[in-house]
Amino acid sequence: MTNRLDRIMERLSRTAARGMSRRSFFGRASAFGITAASMPLLPVSRANAAQQPGESGDPQSCDYWRYCAIDGFLCSCCGGSTSSCPPGTEPSPITWVGTCRNPVDNKDYVISYNDCCGKSACGRCMCNRNEGDTPVHQPAGSNDINWCLGTEVGVVYNCSTAVVLGAAD
Amino acid sequence: MRLVVLPVLLCAAAVAAHAGGIAPNLTRNGRSAHINYMTECQGCHLPDGSGQKGSVPSMKAELHRFLKVEGGREFLVQVPGSANSKLSDADLAALLNWLIPKMGGIAADGFKPYTPEEIATYRSQRLVDVTGTRAALVAKFDQPETSSVN
């Protein structure tokens, strides 16, 4: 049985080797590899990339430009980033929105300070800058509200993100 | 000539006073209606106006219903989110005139745009019972509301 299988495989391999050059295989494989790798370099329009402003500064530092109106722990120090929550937490669907001036192009951008919720307070990189913060009777601009109220996981606050929504013009 | 103009001006002033008499705040903050929506409303109403079930009513395809019932046009200005916002009467008028066709389920030429004067007049009449007023308006809708706050 084993001998028979061996013979069949041998015959198939020899037939394939006779009909196919190894060089042509390597040629085609590398052509495919190069094409696949260079696809993302083509100058196609990227909607998200176009909106993002020029960056300077350290997202783990409270003086980073996007944090001009934040009040809370920076998600960048807590396992998340300026635009994503740490694993195991849920971003609040409702949020408060402000504007910050970007030092790179000196333009104002609309920033959404979504809270991340569902795990106890991160405790790292507390940042409370409050530029443009309004009293709680004007909630759309107030950072003193626990915005985790809108989440499924509950009102436990973990940290705050600072997502750029677009230029404020 | 001056003697003729003066009574005309006085007359115009009297008409303005009769129509409400509240001088609108015409200051503009220099931002488009969409950006003002983002900073003043979107945090709770969300980018498409769909709101938050159970706490923030949906405006999406719903706002036009208020314009069809008596008192609804006033309500969209007097509701606390509008009336208490940091926007001037001119900016609030621009925002509503952008918002209603954008998310309210009605074409831009399907309703009469708000003027800053109208905004100032409605804004000066404070709503005491917001939820009660809203419920009374919703009860007058032709068809029941598709989403509710409660």
Side-chain angles (χ1 to χ4, degrees):
Chain A
M1 181 68 189
T2 323
N3 282 343
R4 205 171 142 201
L5 275 179
D6 278 350
R7 275 201 306 277
I8 294 170
M9 283 310 292
E10 190 189 341
R11 204 162 45 228
L12 282 174
S13 316
R14 284 184 188 281
T15 318
R18 268 197 301 274
M20 235 168 71
S21 100
R22 265 180 278 180
R23 287 193 181 186
S24 89
F25 170 74
F26 286 125
R28 276 183 211 163
S30 36
F32 175 77
I34 289 167
T35 313
S38 59
M39 274 300 218
L41 301 176
L42 292 174
V44 290
S45 159
R46 290 179 192 84
N48 280 339
Q51 279 182 358
Q52 293 303 313
E55 285 291 350
S56 74
D58 176 10
Q60 296 195 346
S61 165
C62 189
D63 58 14
Y64 178 59
W65 71 276
R66 291 194 202 181
Y67 300 147
C68 75
I70 209 164
D71 177 0
F73 304 114
L74 305 179
C75 287
S76 298
C77 301
C78 305
S81 73
T82 51
S83 57
S84 68
C85 283
T89 63
E90 182 190 326
S92 59
I94 57 167
T95 181
W96 84 274
V97 179
T99 59
C100 291
R101 181 151 296 178
N102 182 349
V104 175
D105 56 11
N106 221 24
K107 280 187 190 163
D108 289 339
Y109 286 84
V110 184
I111 313 279
S112 178
Y113 294 97
N114 295 69
D115 286 342
C116 298
C117 319
K119 281 166 85 174
S120 59
C122 159
R124 284 191 288 277
C125 298
M126 177 64 202
C127 183
N128 190 6
R129 284 175 54 190
N130 294 335
E131 290 166 33
D133 173 41
T134 57
V136 284
H137 66 260
Q138 289 181 323
S142 174
N143 63 16
D144 292 330
I145 292 174
N146 179 353
W147 288 98
C148 286
L149 288 168
T151 55
E152 300 285 322
V153 290
V155 294
V156 181
Y157 166 82
N158 182 252
C159 64
S160 299
T161 61
V163 183
V164 175
L165 299 182
D169 44 25
Chain B
M1 188 61 191
R2 270 182 210 162
L3 287 174
V4 181
V5 172
L6 189 63
V8 171
L9 286 177
L10 285 174
C11 196
V15 169
H18 183 72
I22 312 291
N25 182 338
L26 296 174
T27 318
R28 301 300 297 261
N29 67 8
R31 292 195 167 137
S32 70
H34 186 196
I35 296 297
N36 282 332
Y37 175 81
M38 287 167 110
T39 58
E40 304 299 317
C41 323
Q42 177 171 312
C44 294
H45 285 285
L46 302 192
D48 66 351
S50 57
Q52 181 75 18
K53 201 167 186 195
S55 52
V56 184
S58 174
M59 303 193 291
K60 203 175 166 187
E62 296 284 342
L63 287 182
H64 71 104
R65 296 167 188 255
F66 285 95
L67 297 175
K68 288 178 189 148
V69 296
E70 199 187 335
R73 188 174 171 87
E74 292 86 336
F75 179 78
L76 296 184
V77 177
Q78 291 162 343
V79 71
S82 292
N84 297 347
S85 70
K86 298 197 300 293
L87 301 174
S88 71
D89 298 319
D91 279 333
L92 183 56
L95 189 148
L96 287 170
N97 292 337
W98 169 84
L99 174 75
I100 291 167
K102 181 82 179 167
M103 301 179 196
I106 190 168
D109 56 3
F111 78 103
K112 195 171 136 227
Y114 287 97
T115 61
E117 290 73 18
E118 204 183 354
I119 299 283
T121 305
Y122 297 157
R123 234 178 177 180
S124 70
Q125 299 153 15
R126 188 175 168 275
L127 273 189
V128 177
D129 178 9
V130 179
T131 48
T133 307
R134 187 180 190 283
L137 291 169
V138 169
K140 288 194 263 183
F141 286 178
D142 285 343
Q143 286 168 348
E145 205 183 11
T146 50
S147 75
S148 175
V149 190
N150 300 310

